[in-house]
Amino acid sequence: MKTIDELLTEGVAGRRVFVRADLNVPLDGTTITDDGRIRAVVPTVAKLAEAGARVVVASHLGRPKGAPDPAFSLAPAAARLGELLGADVAFATDTVGDSARATVAGLTDGQVAVIENLRFNAGETSKDDAERGAFADRLAELADVYVGDGFGAVHRKHASVFDLPARLPHYAGYLIATEVGVLKKLTTDVQRPYAVVLGGAKVSDKLGVIDHLLERADRILIGGGMVFTFLAAQGHEVGSSLLQEDQIPVVKEYIERAKERGVEFVLPVDVLVAGEFPDMKTKAPANPVTVAADAIPAGQMGLDIGPESRKLYASKLADTATVFWNGPMGVFEHPDYAEGTRAVAQALIDSPAFTVVGGGDSAAAVRILGFDENAFGHISTGGGASLEYLEGKTLPGLAALED
């Protein structure tokens, strides 16, 4: 795939460059609570603007139902992008309508505009090729060149990700080039020992990547809500913990395959439990109790890995050469259940390994818990995209950038 450096060599002064970014940031009303994804696209946008391009930035935010919804406006993201660039950023109040056309037409060399949430138009996410293509045709009228730099969306077959590159000369931005380079280190010529840490709520969300990694990883450490399906598969009582009973047969199969292939599955030896889910609004003390992972009392739910498990996981990461982490170890947003996730993050920092934080809640946890992002080898901007890449799937947005 061609990169932005090749585009810059060709020259972009006076050309309208459409940058498909990922500005899908969490909002509390109109306040951005984590601007990591905006900061990630700044190098691409800044370089294009410095070279005299007329930059048109586009993204989705949230899941509006194909129509304008003020709760999902990109206006706060556009304002934050301007702050990070140190320059005014124009904002169009629609995607391909009068405002978008006028805003883009008003750009001069080196200026940047953001158009409104792409998902305000049903054509963006349509499964109908014609409807999606029609929207891509209208987006193409706004630009001369396409730069794909929204890694968090490349696993989606959406108009701005998949169809639009086919209509314009297309290049990969700095973020996508970096993300792909990192993921190749996790899939080809991997430095060993190679450990993968998987957490999050549902085991069903991670089955594909576990299946693929059983052929590649040396150790797989499991935490989060998904761990209780593994414990149940081993015949243990899990109380009222999150459990996907329908996935137990698959998990049993994976445990057996791991044994056959010499892949070490690491499960917690103790967990923090409580009788109910913590109050996430007040963050009131939850007073959890530590119990053995194979002795969770009836009526109690596991909400984090325990202190012995933290030590165990740290020891399993200490001698690694490559680590990929996706998913928290517990309900890290509550202080009483953050220590498992904190311990894994610290173990990655302490390890000599090349460490990759796989986006999503893991990346959010790094920031919320106050870790220095530069202490990790790489923090991905796309949790879902990273997992699908590691599953061996073809990602539509990357395929569209290939020639």
Side-chain angles (χ1 to χ4, degrees), residues 376-393:
F376 302 88
H378 178 70
I379 298 180
S380 177
T381 57
S386 296
L387 287 176
E388 291 199 14
Y389 190 100
L390 292 182
E391 286 181 44
K393 291 184 177 179

Side-chain angles (χ1 to χ4, degrees), residues 5-318:
D5 285 332
E6 294 173 80
L7 171 60
L8 291 167
T9 299
E10 296 169 10
V12 293
R15 301 172 77 184
R16 300 171 302 164
V17 180
F18 188 104
V19 177
R20 201 330 180 162
D22 180 9
L23 308 181
N24 185 28
V25 291
L27 294 172
D28 181 2
T30 59
T31 301
I32 296 169
T33 58
D34 181 355
D35 67 355
R37 285 177 169 169
I38 303 176
R39 286 187 284 113
V41 79
V42 166
T44 290
V45 174
K47 196 70 173 180
L48 289 168
E50 288 169 9
R54 303 179 182 192
V55 187
V56 182
V57 180
S59 176
H60 69 288
L61 192 153
R63 297 177 182 270
K65 302 185 183 300
D69 183 338
F72 298 107
S73 175
L74 277 175
R80 181 57 179 150
L81 178 61
E83 291 172 358
L84 293 168
L85 290 170
D88 290 335
V89 169
F91 182 67
T93 56
D94 57 28
T95 56
V96 291
D98 292 342
S99 179
R101 290 193 296 271
T103 300
V104 173
L107 290 176
T108 59
D109 293 2
Q111 288 190 322
V112 179
V114 174
I115 62 174
E116 186 55 285
N117 191 336
L118 293 164
R119 291 185 182 176
F120 285 1
N121 189 303
E124 170 67 2
T125 59
S126 176
K127 294 183 179 180
D128 181 82
D129 291 348
E131 183 179 13
R132 221 176 45 247
F135 183 50
D137 286 339
R138 297 187 68 188
L139 289 172
E141 294 173 0
L142 300 175
D144 306 304
V145 181
Y146 178 93
V147 171
D149 214 31
F151 181 73
V154 294
H155 58 313
R156 306 296 188 191
K157 192 177 181 180
H158 291 169
S160 66
V161 176
F162 179 75
D163 301 272
L164 183 56
R167 289 158 168 78
L168 295 169
H170 45 269
Y171 303 81
Y174 291 126
L175 175 61
I176 279 187
T178 298
E179 295 271 14
V180 171
V182 167
L183 288 170
K184 285 182 177 179
K185 291 184 180 181
L186 301 178
T187 52
T188 58
D189 299 323
V190 181
Q191 297 297 305
R192 298 184 179 280
Y194 176 22
V196 177
V197 186
L198 296 175
K202 295 182 178 180
V203 68
S204 56
D205 293 339
K206 303 293 198 308
L207 288 178
V209 73
I210 293 173
D211 181 62
H212 206 64
L213 288 170
L214 282 173
E215 308 295 322
R216 291 161 177 80
D218 299 303
R219 294 174 197 148
I220 301 177
L221 287 64
I222 304 293
M226 62 186 285
V227 79
F228 302 105
T229 302
F230 277 84
L231 292 172
Q234 293 183 327
H236 302 311
E237 169 65 45
V238 297
S240 58
S241 305
L242 182 63
L243 173 64
Q244 290 185 284
E245 290 190 52
D246 60 323
Q247 301 298 333
I248 289 177
V250 181
V251 169
K252 284 182 176 180
E253 177 197 336
Y254 285 176
I255 292 173
E256 287 304 312
R257 278 178 56 196
K259 289 179 181 178
E260 293 170 2
R261 298 193 61 82
V263 177
E264 185 179 8
F265 258 123
V266 183
L267 300 177
V269 294
D270 59 351
V271 295
L272 299 185
V273 300
E276 59 185 4
F277 199 80
D279 188 326
M280 299 304 290
K281 288 186 178 180
T282 65
K283 305 290 177 72
N287 302 314
V289 175
T290 302
V291 301
D294 60 359
I296 299 174
Q300 296 287 299
M301 65 175 66
L303 294 163
D304 194 14
I305 62 173
E308 292 305 314
S309 300
R310 294 171 214 154
K311 295 176 185 175
L312 172 65
Y313 284 27
S315 71
K316 295 295 183 180
L317 297 172

